[in-house]
Amino acid sequence: MSSISIIGTGNMAATIGTLAIKGGNTVEVIGRDAAKSVALAKSLGGGATAGTFGAAPAGDIVILAVLFDSAVPVVREFGDALAGKIIVDITNPFDATGTGLAVPHDTSVAQRVAEAAPASAQVVKAFNTLFRHVLAQGGPVDVFMAGGDAQAKASVSAFIESLGLRPRDTGNLHMAHWVEGAGVLTMGLARHGVGNFNFSLAINNLS
């Protein structure tokens, strides 16, 4: 099983933390508000602990569960404390209408996180195409991911599988732009073609 640190104390942090504990992983919660970190760790149970914001995370895999516009500043604030870590960016850089991306076409939040992180850290994009309540239900849903380091993606894939989910590798980190775009696609489908938020994007193997 994996050793996980979650930066953030919001709904996605709680959801991933709950699944991680259920999957037998070690979980640390890190937030700016120490009281919220302690409260979330306590609610997760399973030996979850609360870490100190800005200090070196205990987990080998660090889940960046913050708002997209906070992702790069938070990584810069942690600085060398993230050296050697696998950073999983789960953010969705939606524009104000939720119909486009708030980053240029030639980059992504994940790529900007990689630029801000220590050189020894590896960044993987994942989880952003799943609505929180769908993720909370667990089950064999697909988690699309992108990253440039094969070993890092293997570690994240093992973690995803421990949650009862299916990792789907889309390629190198430049593909994170399109994975983030898939988050916009899910919003469009929810508002129009599907008409609700009770679904997830999936691969259907026909062979």
Side-chain angles (χ1 to χ4, degrees), residues 77-98:
E77 190 167 348
F78 272 78
D80 288 340
L82 295 174
K85 302 295 183 179
I86 299 170
I87 304 170
V88 181
D89 168 31
I90 72 168
T91 66
N92 266 314
F94 295 149
D95 64 14
T97 65

Side-chain angles (χ1 to χ4, degrees), residues 39-115:
L40 178 53
K42 184 177 180 179
S43 70
L44 292 177
T49 60
T52 301
F53 193 88
D60 297 322
I61 298 175
V62 179
I63 310 292
L64 196 57
V66 299
L67 296 177
F68 84 87
D69 53 358
S70 297
V72 170
V74 165
V75 168
R76 285 176 176 159
E77 190 167 348
F78 272 78
D80 288 340
L82 295 174
K85 302 295 183 179
I86 299 170
I87 304 170
V88 181
D89 168 31
I90 72 168
T91 66
N92 266 314
F94 295 149
D95 64 14
T97 65
T99 59
L101 295 174
V103 293
H105 72 278
D106 59 348
T107 189
S108 64
V109 176
Q111 287 166 282
R112 290 180 169 183
V113 165
E115 292 168 358

Side-chain angles (χ1 to χ4, degrees), residues 9 12 16 22 30 37 40 49 69 79 81-84 95 100 104 113-114 117 133 148 165 167 173 188 191:
T9 56
M12 282 295 285
I16 293 176
K22 184 178 179 181
I30 304 171
S37 299
L40 178 53
T49 60
D69 53 358
L82 295 174
D95 64 14
V113 165
H133 67 282
L165 311 176
L173 196 59
R191 292 168 172 172

Side-chain angles (χ1 to χ4, degrees), residues 147-167:
D149 184 82
Q151 185 174 352
K153 285 194 289 188
S155 295
V156 175
S157 292
F159 170 61
I160 290 170
E161 290 172 345
S162 79
L163 308 183
L165 311 176
R166 293 185 296 250

